[in-house]
């Protein structure tokens, strides 16, 4: 680890840990983990809701204040966290994969949602809030009721209850182990780890980008973490954001 102490704020119930962190960003120190036992209005990327599967699941936001100004590398923090999560899940004997940009899958089933939000005051960066929800303990019936997603939970995959405190500490320790190096060097620092866990490269895919759909061969991930598609016109399209359908 970096040797720096990670602060923790433990909440019994909150609408979302990201919302709490945004409201209190001025009072929360750098490298503080906001953890909720129950989350009533969790959000995923593109304003999607994140379904609360009840106690025993992870609802976490990491408050980061790396500088007073915004840098492009901060947009790759979700990809960094997806790699970190994969490494933790591998300690449980699993083989997770990443679907661009930051979905983590086990056996093609989604196990986590990751969302980063930036808080600015004029040109001054107040902080980056990196939120993650991980399905740790759930029953198959509740998992099946998650809308529009094929999902899973860690306890289902390993066939035993997961200690949430132990999992949370593993995740935070591994996150901060190489965080400073990542902030200094950028996506290239994790590019190999990210690509070797991917499940989309060299496949024909469709990507929803706001109100349009891009189709083509997923050719590569560049040094900025962007997805390069080769479309039907044999042209390369560079995507900074989107959802693989």
């Amino acid at each position: 680890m970096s040797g720096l102490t990670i602060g923790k704020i433990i909440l019994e119930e909150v609408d979302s840990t990201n919302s709490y962190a945004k409201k209190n960003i001025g009072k929360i120190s750098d490298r503080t983990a906001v953890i909720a036992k129950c989350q009533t209005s969790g959000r995923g990327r593109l304003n999607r809701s994140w379904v609360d599967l009840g106690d025993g699941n992870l609802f976490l936001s990491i408050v980061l204040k790396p500088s007073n100004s915004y840098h492009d590398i901060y947009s790759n923090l979700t990809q960094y966290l997806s790699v970190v999560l994969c490494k933790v899940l591998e300690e449980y004997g699993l083989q997770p994969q990443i679907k661009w940009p930051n979905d983590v899958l086990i056996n093609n089933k989604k196990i986590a949602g990751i969302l980063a939000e930036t808080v600015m005051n004029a040109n001054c960066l107040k902080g980056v809030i990196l939120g993650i929800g991980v399905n740790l303990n759930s029953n198959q019936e509740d998992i099946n009721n998650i809308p529009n997603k094929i999902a899973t939970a860690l306890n289902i995959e390993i066939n035993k209850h997961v200690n949430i405190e132990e999992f949370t500490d593993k995740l935070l320790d591994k996150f901060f182990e190489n965080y400073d190096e990542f902030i200094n060097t950028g996506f290239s620092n994790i590019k190999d780890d990210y690509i070797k866990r991917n499940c989309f490269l060299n496949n024909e895919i469709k990507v929803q980008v706001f109100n349009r759909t891009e189709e083509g061969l997923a050719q590569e991930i560049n040094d900025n973490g962007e997805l390069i598609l080769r479309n039907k016109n044999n042209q390369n399209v560079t995507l900074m954001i989107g959802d693989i359908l």
Side-chain angles (χ1 to χ4, degrees), residues 139-147 149 151:
N139 59 61
Q140 192 65 55
E141 182 180 355
D142 287 343
I143 286 288
N144 292 342
N145 287 331
I146 295 176
K149 289 288 182 186

Side-chain angles (χ1 to χ4, degrees), residues 155-167:
N155 69 312
I156 293 172
E157 296 298 327
I158 65 174
N159 202 30
K160 67 178 181 180
H161 181 82
V162 178
N163 183 307
I164 184 171
E165 288 83 9
E166 181 182 298
F167 184 93

Side-chain angles (χ1 to χ4, degrees), residues 30-86:
D30 181 28
R31 305 179 193 227
T32 296
V34 179
I35 303 164
K37 295 181 180 178
C38 178
Q39 182 171 260
T40 58
S41 301
R43 291 172 294 122
R45 291 191 317 114
L46 306 179
N47 289 321
R48 296 192 183 94
S49 61
W50 180 253
V51 177
D52 181 0
L53 295 172
D55 291 348
N57 295 284
L58 180 60
F59 313 108
L60 165 70
S61 293
I62 306 171
V63 175
L64 302 168
K65 300 182 177 183
S67 68
N68 292 323
S69 58
Y70 183 80
H71 300 283
D72 289 341
I73 181 58
Y74 302 160
S75 66
N76 297 109
L77 278 165
T78 60
Q79 290 170 304
Y80 173 73
L81 182 53
S82 71
V83 170
V84 168
L85 177 58
C86 283

Side-chain angles (χ1 to χ4, degrees), residues 11-233:
L11 306 171
E12 287 295 322
E13 182 176 301
V14 71
D15 51 355
S16 91
T17 53
N18 266 35
S19 295
Y20 177 92
K22 283 173 74 174
K23 291 172 190 170
N24 297 281
I25 191 75
K27 298 182 287 186
I28 299 176
S29 301
D30 181 28
R31 305 179 193 227
T32 296
V34 179
I35 303 164
K37 295 181 180 178
C38 178
Q39 182 171 260
T40 58
S41 301
R43 291 172 294 122
R45 291 191 317 114
L46 306 179
N47 289 321
R48 296 192 183 94
S49 61
W50 180 253
V51 177
D52 181 0
L53 295 172
D55 291 348
N57 295 284
L58 180 60
F59 313 108
L60 165 70
S61 293
I62 306 171
V63 175
L64 302 168
K65 300 182 177 183
S67 68
N68 292 323
S69 58
Y70 183 80
H71 300 283
D72 289 341
I73 181 58
Y74 302 160
S75 66
N76 297 109
L77 278 165
T78 60
Q79 290 170 304
Y80 173 73
L81 182 53
S82 71
V83 170
V84 168
L85 177 58
C86 283
K87 290 181 177 181
V88 173
L89 292 171
E90 285 160 6
E91 293 183 15
Y92 289 81
L94 301 174
Q95 293 182 300
Q97 290 184 299
I98 298 171
K99 185 174 80 169
W100 184 85
N102 54 50
D103 279 351
V104 175
L105 312 177
I106 296 175
N107 298 320
N108 295 314
K109 301 172 185 177
K110 187 171 179 177
I111 194 168
I114 298 173
L115 172 69
E117 298 185 84
T118 303
V119 183
M120 303 288 295
N121 182 6
N123 292 325
C124 181
L125 177 68
K126 303 293 287 184
V128 178
I129 301 164
L130 194 54
I132 182 169
V134 188
N135 302 333
L136 294 182
N137 295 291
S138 184
N139 59 61
Q140 192 65 55
E141 182 180 355
D142 287 343
I143 286 288
N144 292 342
N145 287 331
I146 295 176
N148 306 320
K149 289 288 182 186
I150 300 173
T152 190
L154 182 52
N155 69 312
I156 293 172
E157 296 298 327
I158 65 174
N159 202 30
K160 67 178 181 180
H161 181 82
V162 178
N163 183 307
I164 184 171
E165 288 83 9
E166 181 182 298
F167 184 93
T168 304
D169 287 344
K170 283 177 184 283
L171 187 70
L172 290 172
D173 284 351
K174 198 163 287 292
F175 180 89
F176 285 108
E177 186 177 345
N178 296 305
Y179 166 74
D180 291 313
E181 185 179 354
F182 174 79
I183 288 296
N184 288 326
T185 59
F187 182 79
S188 58
N189 178 259
I190 61 162
K191 185 177 177 181
D192 290 345
D193 279 334
Y194 184 91
I195 288 174
K196 76 179 183 181
R197 293 173 173 86
N198 92 88
C199 63
F200 55 88
L201 288 177
N202 302 313
N203 291 320
E204 292 284 342
I205 61 173
K206 295 181 180 180
V207 182
Q208 186 73 39
V209 185
F210 298 114
N211 59 355
R212 75 180 197 275
T213 302
E214 297 283 355
E215 298 184 42
L217 179 69
Q219 282 208 307
E220 65 173 304
I221 294 294
N222 66 19
D223 285 345
N224 297 320
E226 298 163 334
L227 174 61
I228 311 297
L229 280 187
R230 173 74 69 163
N231 67 18
K232 61 183 179 182
N233 298 320

